[in-house]
Amino acid sequence: MALEHVKIFNTLSGQKEDLLKPRGRALKLFVCGPTVYGPPHIGNARTFLIFDMFVKFLRSIDYEINYLQNITDIDDKIINRAKEENVGWKDISGKYELIYLKNMQVLGIDSVNIYAKATEYIPQIVEQVKTLIKKERAYLIEGDGYYFDLATFPEYGKLSHRTIEQAEDAVSRIDASDKKRNKGDFALWKLSKSGEPGWKTELGFGRPGWHIEDTSITEYFFGPQYDLHGGAQDLKFPHHEAEIAQQESASGKRPFVKQWMHAGFLTVDGNKMSKSLNNFVSVDDFLEKYPAELLRTIVFMHHYRAPMDYSDALVQTAQKNLNDIAIFLAKLKKTRGKISEIPSGDFLNSFLESLSDDFNTPQALASIFEFINKLQPNLWNLSYKAGHRAAELIEGSLKTVGILLPKQIISLKARFLARKREYYRKNKQFIQSDALRKKLDELGYIIEDTPKGPLLFKPVYATRTIQNPIE
Ligand code: AMP
């Protein structure tokens, strides 16, 4: 299926505009990856799920995407964590990189083509810093490192429309020095003190600044200019501004990136979920309690640019949404009526149009429920084929963004109890049939009497209500 226009909100232009579709080559997308110094939390995961869903959607409508993500595996946060735990910095970065990649796998985030670790691109980083020095955009603070001179880049701030830090901006302590020429100057290459990790290079024994790794990696894979850059909104300033200043100064070509997408935060009681506030739920903690597709659904329920406040009630709403859809799908697969036509065109159009309109996922979800509501009155009159076709459409639309509903597995015991209950019910022995319904409920099953007989269903997404043992 090919859609003519996918619109996105481009932070650089401040407007909704057509997503550029390069002819004859893949769209080059870079999303800032994690700093691997601790387990990822579900706030980090929100950002990566958003871009995973967006890429899956684009690929489903025939976009070719080359999706690159970096992994920051050298950083002061990593060095400090290693000191705290009295281990080597590589022990920390190696451990958390593995956890990150495993978490991504379990969450079904498989759309990234290339993961690039900063430490594997030290020669490219050194080259870019040397170019900036040659072009007089960078200067040395003796015994400290090379810094970018912001006075040479008057366009600084053109993405975020500011040049001053705000609360919730992601910052790096590596950029601090009282000898800087301008307050906002940031480190390109930090000279390492004894005991600190570093690389012996023409710039001296040191390590890269935070922003330079991204532009060195993207220049290596994509060249000095590319199509689309993503990340959460805490990276707009100073991280993404710094990337623009570095790459446009190094190459003299602009724009560095044509279109930028920024995702909203996952919050807790209105505050950004973060390691420093200690208000986070790690991906592992979440996955211990709930299946992966639940987090994907929670993310899908919110517009990617809007904040999303995490709570138990939110998880329950997502569980209910998924269960309602799954129960309806189970019913659709039981229809044996005569109606062979379903309003499928309207549904597919509105689903895809919603996703094409600045990736409006809540509207896309609403279109699924609208379709269900349209089918509902005539549900049991649908033919076997029509029922299955409608179910395939709903399953297919969710699959577009990677939401896969698990197959219903009903145990033999449950089937037996359901048959027994039906026997009692038909004989009007309601006390016995109610007792069996209760038993089925205790086993985690819902039984619903439909015109086509009783439908046994296991709501896989619900955490079972714990019965008071005294009752
Ligand atoms: P970090 O590992 O801290 O570098 O973060 C990895 C990614 O997660 C970056 O794109 C951050 O912008 C993003 N991120 C961090 N906290 C949140 C949050 N609470 N909600 C959404 N995205 C976040």
Side-chain angles (χ1 to χ4, degrees):
M1 175 158 339
L3 276 178
E4 279 313 305
H5 298 290
V6 173
K7 292 207 181 291
I8 55 153
F9 182 86
N10 179 5
T11 314
L12 188 62
S13 65
Q15 281 173 359
K16 233 197 238 185
E17 55 189 54
D18 284 350
L19 174 69
L20 300 170
K21 189 172 190 182
R23 281 186 198 279
R25 65 164 177 84
L27 182 147
K28 296 171 185 174
L29 163 68
F30 175 74
V31 174
C32 290
T35 304
V36 281
Y37 73 103
H41 55 66
I42 57 173
N44 305 132
R46 181 189 185 198
T47 295
F48 301 127
L49 278 165
I50 285 169
F51 286 100
D52 181 69
M53 290 199 279
F54 187 54
V55 169
K56 283 187 162 98
F57 159 64
L58 290 177
R59 286 182 177 146
S60 80
I61 53 162
D62 293 342
Y63 268 80
E64 212 189 310
I65 312 284
N66 191 2
Y67 180 5
L68 170 66
Q69 204 182 94
N70 72 307
I71 292 181
T72 302
D73 61 342
I74 179 70
D75 184 86
D76 280 13
K77 287 179 188 157
I78 297 171
I79 300 170
N80 293 339
R81 182 85 192 237
K83 270 189 212 149
E84 280 161 30
E85 295 190 14
N86 208 15
V87 292
W89 66 274
K90 279 189 190 167
D91 296 324
I92 296 294
S93 61
K95 175 179 165 182
Y96 290 111
E97 179 197 340
L98 201 66
I99 293 178
Y100 172 72
L101 292 175
K102 275 191 183 159
N103 281 170
M104 294 302 106
Q105 196 181 17
V106 179
L107 291 176
I109 298 177
D110 54 6
S111 53
V112 178
N113 296 89
I114 306 163
Y115 284 106
K117 283 199 281 187
T119 56
E120 290 177 358
Y121 298 87
I122 298 294
Q124 287 77 11
I125 291 170
V126 170
E127 267 321 297
Q128 203 169 77
V129 178
K130 277 169 60 189
T131 305
L132 291 171
I133 297 169
K134 218 182 291 164
K135 295 197 168 186
E136 298 182 353
R137 304 302 184 102
Y139 62 94
L140 174 68
I141 298 180
E142 284 296 341
D144 182 337
Y146 285 93
Y147 282 78
F148 188 90
D149 184 352
L150 275 179
T152 68
F153 195 75
E155 290 170 69
Y156 192 66
K158 65 182 169 184
L159 178 73
S160 58
H161 308 291
R162 61 187 165 98
T163 52
I164 294 175
E165 248 167 57
Q166 285 177 358
E168 296 194 330
D169 288 338
V171 290
S172 166
R173 265 175 293 160
I174 202 169
D175 297 329
S177 163
D178 52 14
K179 296 204 180 84
K180 290 194 299 192
R181 288 185 189 165
N182 313 287
K183 196 168 176 280
D185 290 356
F186 48 87
L188 298 167
W189 187 257
K190 194 85 173 171
L191 297 171
S192 295
K193 299 190 188 74
S194 94
E196 285 179 347
W199 285 260
K200 219 172 136 187
T201 71
E202 291 171 63
L203 302 171
F205 183 74
R207 56 191 194 277
W210 176 31
H211 318 299
I212 196 81
E213 60 169 282
D214 286 4
T215 46
S216 306
I217 286 170
T218 54
E219 186 170 17
Y220 178 75
F221 285 101
F222 292 163
Q225 293 179 292
Y226 59 94
D227 305 302
L228 183 62
H229 192 319
Q233 66 185 43
D234 55 341
L235 300 183
K236 253 188 240 176
F237 187 91
H239 185 51
H240 291 160
E241 292 290 356
E243 281 191 45
I244 295 174
Q246 287 168 171
Q247 189 61 67
E248 292 191 356
S249 302
S251 70
K253 291 183 178 154
R254 61 200 55 179
F256 158 48
V257 181
K258 295 185 194 107
Q259 297 184 309
W260 295 74
M261 284 172 84
H262 286 100
F265 291 138
L266 186 148
T267 57
V268 184
D269 296 329
N271 297 311
K272 179 189 171 193
M273 179 176 279
S274 68
K275 285 171 198 148
S276 53
L277 285 180
N278 205 19
N279 62 352
F280 67 93
V281 176
S282 75
V283 173
D284 277 335
D285 287 345
F286 183 91
L287 291 174
E288 227 169 73
K289 281 170 85 178
Y290 309 112
E293 60 271 19
L294 204 59
L295 188 57
R296 192 175 278 265
T297 304
I298 291 173
V299 173
F300 187 68
M301 279 159 49
H302 295 78
H303 193 276
Y304 76 94
R305 286 193 282 122
M308 166 181 130
D309 205 53
Y310 182 73
S311 64
D312 288 345
L314 179 63
V315 177
Q316 280 157 18
T317 309
Q319 286 173 325
K320 184 176 175 344
N321 282 338
L322 279 185
N323 277 328
D324 286 353
I325 294 174
I327 292 179
F328 194 74
L329 289 174
K331 287 179 184 169
L332 279 174
K333 288 175 186 173
K334 281 214 149 193
T335 59
R336 301 287 186 274
K338 290 219 165 65
I339 297 178
S340 58
E341 290 295 315
I342 47 168
S344 58
D346 293 353
F347 163 58
L348 262 189
N349 276 347
S350 61
F351 183 79
L352 291 172
E353 268 169 23
S354 302
L355 295 184
S356 305
D357 182 15
D358 195 25
F359 205 47
N360 193 336
T361 54
Q363 200 173 294
L365 181 64
S367 72
I368 293 183
F369 282 108
E370 269 163 33
F371 185 44
I372 289 177
N373 287 341
K374 260 190 202 159
L375 293 170
Q376 193 90 54
N378 266 326
L379 173 68
W380 298 110
N381 296 324
L382 291 179
S383 70
Y384 172 86
K385 265 195 174 169
H388 273 70
R389 164 117 184 93
E392 267 169 31
L393 279 171
I394 295 171
E395 281 166 335
S397 59
L398 289 170
K399 204 172 151 202
T400 306
V401 289
I403 300 175
L404 306 175
L405 299 179
K407 284 213 157 58
Q408 281 279 307
I409 298 172
I410 312 272
S411 73
L412 272 177
K413 185 176 178 186
R415 281 178 211 276
F416 171 74
L417 292 177
R419 267 206 297 274
K420 217 165 141 189
R421 173 189 166 269
E422 188 57 8
Y423 168 83
Y424 286 132
R425 205 176 66 93
K426 278 192 172 146
N427 282 332
K428 303 201 176 344
Q429 291 172 274
F430 295 120
I431 294 172
Q432 287 90 333
S433 71
D434 281 353
L436 285 169
R437 178 195 280 274
K438 203 159 173 240
K439 212 166 194 175
L440 280 164
D441 177 63
E442 280 161 15
L443 290 174
Y445 291 90
I446 291 174
I447 193 155
E448 197 179 313
D449 294 311
T450 75
K452 299 291 162 199
L455 181 67
L456 201 53
F457 180 80
K458 186 156 197 171
V460 277
Y461 300 102
T463 37
R464 303 236 330 105
T465 31
I466 297 169
Q467 310 269 339
N468 186 340
I470 299 160
E471 274 177 351

